Every structure is written in C-alpha cells, then in structure tokens.
C-alpha cells in the first residue's frame, strides 16, 4: 500500500485497506452464476434494498452496467439521450453502438445537468425516418463536469418527460453515494422512477473491482442474459463482493471527508494566477482546474506536477481534473496545493 506520490488522478486508484483485505480473506464463496455465492447474494440484496429496487446483479465494472442496461432497454437504431460529457457516450469505446446497436443523442447541459425542457426537445417525433428515442440517461454525479449533483427536482422533471413519451430512465450512479452523502437525499429517493440504476464499488468506496446494477426483476432477468452473453457471469465472486459489503458498512459516511478535501483544494487553488477554479461549484470529490490563463497547457502541467510528486491528468487541452478519495489526506491536499502554487508563480506564471 506504499505510494510515494499524491494521487489525485482518480478515485479508482484506491488500494484495499488491511481491514478490507481481511473481509476479502474471510469471505464465504460459491458459484456466482449458479446463484450459490452467499456473499454475492448478500451484496446484491443489500444494493437492491438501498435503491428500493426489486433485484440487482453484480458485474465486474460500471462500464458493463451501462452497456448491459443500454442493451436491455434498446433495440437496434434506437437513441440514448444523455449529456454530451457522459461516460456512456464518450468513454466506453462506442459500446452502445456495438452491443445495444443504439445511437447517442447528446445534450449540452449546465455543468453536466440538463433540464426537462432540453430532454423534451431531444426526443424525436415518432416518424419512420427518425431513430426511436428510447432511453434518457443521467450521470449522478457528473464525472467530467466536476462531480455536479443532479438536483432531485431536476431528475423528477426529466423523469416526467420520459414517462410522458414512454422512454426508459437510466442512472449511471458510478458516484451516486457521493451525491447521497453530500446532499442528504437517500439513494432510494434519487432512484425513484428509474428503470435501471447502478453504483460503482471501485471508485470512492475503495474496492478493487465491481459494480452493482439494479432494476425490476424482469430487467435483471434480461440483464443476466446479457451478462452471460458477454462473459460477465462469474464463479467465486464473493471474493470481491465481500469488499463491497465492507465498503457499504465503512466507506460511505467518510465520503464527506473527500468532499471537504476537494473543497479545500479548490479554495487553495482559486487565488493562484493563471488557474481557473470555482470552489463554489465543487459539490463532491472532483475539482476542475482550467489552466488556459497560465503559461502552459494541461499536458505540461500534468507532467511537471508528476515530477513534483502530484499525480493527476488532463481531460482536455487546458483542463485538469483532480479527485479526492480515501487514499488522499487533508495534509496531502495542502502539499499538492503548495506544489501548484510554486509552478503557478514560477515556470508557468502567465506571461
Ligand atoms: C468510472 C465511471 C464509469 C465506468 O465505471 P468502471 O467501473 O470504471 O467501468 C461509468 N460512468 C461514470 C460516470 C464513471 O465515472
């Protein structure tokens, strides 16, 4: 578990703690695809309950949750409506066009959140020339727009539009629990009205692998057929489901620390010349840093920060993204901000 740098690149970089490894070592296991792994069963029942859904299924990754949900909801030629920055559109190797054989209809939201009016305008009229609009997908929280929380009223408004037009609602809840902890709205309230919703175990929850997809019993039956088809059915998966149960017990409330650390980082960076940071928009564990007014691009910043011991990456030519998580301490955030300050006032000072 040793690391000799400050890891701000992603909350996927967390290593299982000794306590989590103990839970993994002690897991009771069986055949997952035969429904005989008691630890997997306990985890999926717990997540279904958390979301207020009938059923759930364990998958190796969040990407597979998105892809299977899309494949269950859509037929060939259908449209998935989502925000332009959405993971399901831009970060899954075009999977929706391969598996679901669906297209993407991107909406430009405000920090990743679109309105009910925008959703309505994105739904195509039912004409034989047009793709059939089939799903509205939202990301809670919005990854590439800085961890924005979708407000409950906005979700409900979009949900009403979907219902009126007979569309399915899908929630990419990779960081749903960050939204829950930051807002105080329960996972059940956020999930109400959705046909499919999932959470990632391998992000802020600190597990090495896994994600859980939930929905109605019929939806999960159909999801199982896709899971089997694309090789997501597993054997002694209780080995990592145990980490998931451990995380739900121990690593949820502490997400508030990550949010405080992200806010602190933003507040320390905001006054620095050449850096565009908006602390008021840091709602969860993600900080967006615009370096366009500095004397270097994102790639150069990322390389130099790395050499100084701070790991983080660019998500655009002039945009850096920093994430906090359970392997980043408040003290490390201060040290990282000091390193930013040295570069901002020195070699990358605006000319
Ligand atoms: C990480 C992420 C995914 C994919 O999850 P993996 O477990 O990495 O496959 C999907 N959506 C969002 C918003 C994410 O941040």
């Amino acid at each position: 578990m040793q690391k000799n740098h400050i890891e701000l690149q992603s909350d996927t970089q967390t290593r299982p703690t000794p306590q989590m490894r103990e839970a993994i070592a002690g897991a009771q296991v069986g055949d997952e695809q035969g429904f005989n792994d008691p630890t997997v069963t306990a985890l999926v029942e717990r997540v279904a309950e958390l979301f207020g859904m009938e059923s759930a299924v364990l998958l190796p990754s969040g990407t597979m949750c998105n892809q299977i949900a899309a494949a269950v909801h859509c037929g060939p030629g259908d449209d998935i409506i989502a925000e332009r920055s959405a993971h399901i559109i831009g970060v899954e190797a075009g999977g929706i066009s391969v598996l679901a054989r669906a297209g993407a209809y991107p909406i430009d939201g405000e920090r990743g959140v679109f309105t009910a009016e925008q959703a309505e305008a994105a739904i195509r009229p039912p004409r034989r020339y047009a793709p059939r609009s089939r799903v509205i997908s939202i990301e809670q929280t919005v990854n590439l727009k800085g961890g924005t929380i979708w407000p409950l009223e906005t979700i409900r408004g979009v949900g009403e539009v979907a219902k009126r037009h007979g569309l399915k609602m899908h929630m990419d809840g990779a960081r749903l629990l960050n939204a829950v902890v930051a807002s105080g709205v329960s996972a059940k309230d956020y999930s109400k009205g959705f046909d499919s919703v999932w959470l990632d175990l391998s992000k802020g929850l600190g597990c090495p692998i896994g994600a859980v997809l939930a929905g109605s019993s019929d939806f999960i039956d159909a999801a199982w057929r896709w899971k089997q088809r694309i090789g997501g059915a597993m054997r002694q998966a209780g080995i990592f489901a145990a980490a998931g149960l451990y995380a739900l017990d121990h690593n949820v409330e502490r997400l508030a620390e990550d949010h405080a650390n992200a806010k602190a980082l933003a507040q320390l960076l905001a006054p620095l010349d050449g850096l565009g940071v908006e602390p008021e928009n840091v709602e969860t564990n993600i900080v967006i840093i615009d370096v366009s007014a500095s004397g270097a691009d994102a790639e150069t910043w990322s390389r130099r920060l790395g050499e100084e011991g701070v790991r983080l990456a660019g998500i655009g030519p002039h945009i850096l993204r920093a994430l906090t998580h359970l392997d980043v301490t408040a003290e490390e955030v201060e040290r990282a901000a000091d390193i930013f300050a040295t570069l901002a006032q020195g070699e990358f000072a605006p000319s």
Side-chain angles (χ1 to χ4, degrees):
M1 255 154 293
Q2 289 207 330
K3 63 181 163 66
N4 45 21
H5 59 269
I6 300 169
E7 178 55 71
L8 298 176
Q9 178 154 328
S10 178
D11 48 7
T12 56
Q13 301 299 309
T14 52
R15 312 283 165 91
T17 58
Q19 296 86 337
M20 182 178 278
R21 286 165 191 260
E22 239 169 73
I24 291 169
Q28 279 187 53
V29 296
D31 186 27
E32 189 253 359
Q33 59 181 270
F35 297 104
N36 287 322
D37 187 305
T39 310
V40 172
T41 303
L43 176 63
V44 297
E45 283 177 357
R46 177 141 174 204
V47 174
E49 162 75 25
L50 183 71
F51 289 150
M53 294 288 182
E54 282 174 2
S55 190
V57 58
L58 178 65
L59 293 167
S61 71
T63 299
M64 203 183 276
C65 294
N66 272 342
Q67 291 301 321
I68 287 181
V72 171
H73 292 319
C74 294
D78 287 352
D79 257 359
I80 297 173
I81 296 167
E83 211 275 335
R84 186 176 302 279
S85 73
H87 200 282
I88 196 170
I89 294 183
V91 201
E92 301 183 5
I96 56 170
S97 65
V98 178
L99 297 163
R101 293 185 285 159
Y105 192 106
I107 296 178
D108 291 300
E110 178 67 30
R111 292 193 300 121
V113 175
F114 52 83
T115 62
E117 293 70 33
Q118 284 180 295
E120 183 124 41
I123 297 172
R124 299 183 192 268
R127 303 171 72 201
R128 70 186 154 88
Y129 309 104
R132 185 175 62 149
S133 302
R134 188 65 185 146
V135 181
I136 300 178
S137 176
I138 73 149
E139 216 171 89
Q140 184 72 302
T141 66
V142 186
N143 178 344
L144 293 176
K145 295 293 179 180
T148 320
I149 298 174
W150 271 78
L152 193 56
E153 321 81 76
T154 312
I155 295 177
R156 294 276 202 265
V158 169
E160 278 166 27
V161 169
K163 199 165 180 186
R164 194 150 12 91
H165 291 269
L167 271 66
K168 303 284 183 190
M169 283 288 284
H170 172 68
M171 179 161 25
D172 172 339
R175 297 187 180 79
L176 173 64
L177 294 181
N178 290 83
V180 167
V181 168
S183 68
V185 175
S186 70
K188 208 174 270 184
D189 281 341
Y190 275 135
S191 310
K192 209 168 163 205
F194 280 83
D195 298 284
S196 46
V197 52
W198 62 271
L199 66 81
D200 216 324
L201 301 172
S202 69
K203 301 255 163 95
L205 292 180
C207 302
I209 185 172
V212 182
L213 173 67
S216 68
S217 301
D218 284 349
F219 170 81
I220 295 300
D221 284 350
W224 258 101
R225 195 174 286 275
W226 271 101
K227 166 169 153 123
Q228 206 75 46
R229 182 174 291 138
I230 62 177
M234 296 174 279
R235 300 299 183 186
Q236 289 74 40
I239 287 287
F240 71 88
L245 286 168
Y246 176 88
L248 290 174
D249 284 335
H250 298 96
N251 292 350
V252 177
E253 292 309 319
R254 66 149 308 285
L255 292 170
E257 291 170 37
D258 301 343
H259 303 162
N261 284 340
K263 185 73 114 183
L265 179 65
Q267 282 164 345
L268 291 167
L269 298 184
L272 299 177
D273 276 349
L275 298 184
V277 180
E278 295 165 344
E280 68 280 13
N281 286 339
V282 175
E283 301 179 69
T284 54
N285 69 325
I286 305 179
V287 182
I288 298 289
I289 305 153
D290 184 339
V291 299
S292 21
S294 77
D297 61 10
E299 196 181 322
T300 311
W301 267 98
S302 163
R303 181 174 48 78
R304 284 292 294 121
L305 285 164
E307 287 162 5
E308 300 300 325
V310 179
R311 218 172 143 242
L312 89 181
I315 56 165
H318 299 284
I319 307 285
L320 296 169
R321 185 191 62 158
L323 283 87
T324 54
H325 49 78
L326 55 77
D327 281 356
V328 182
T329 65
E331 187 269 327
E332 284 180 313
V333 161
E334 283 179 24
R335 259 196 296 140
D338 284 343
I339 292 167
F340 265 98
T342 305
L343 293 173
Q345 288 152 10
E347 60 200 88
F348 296 157
S351 46

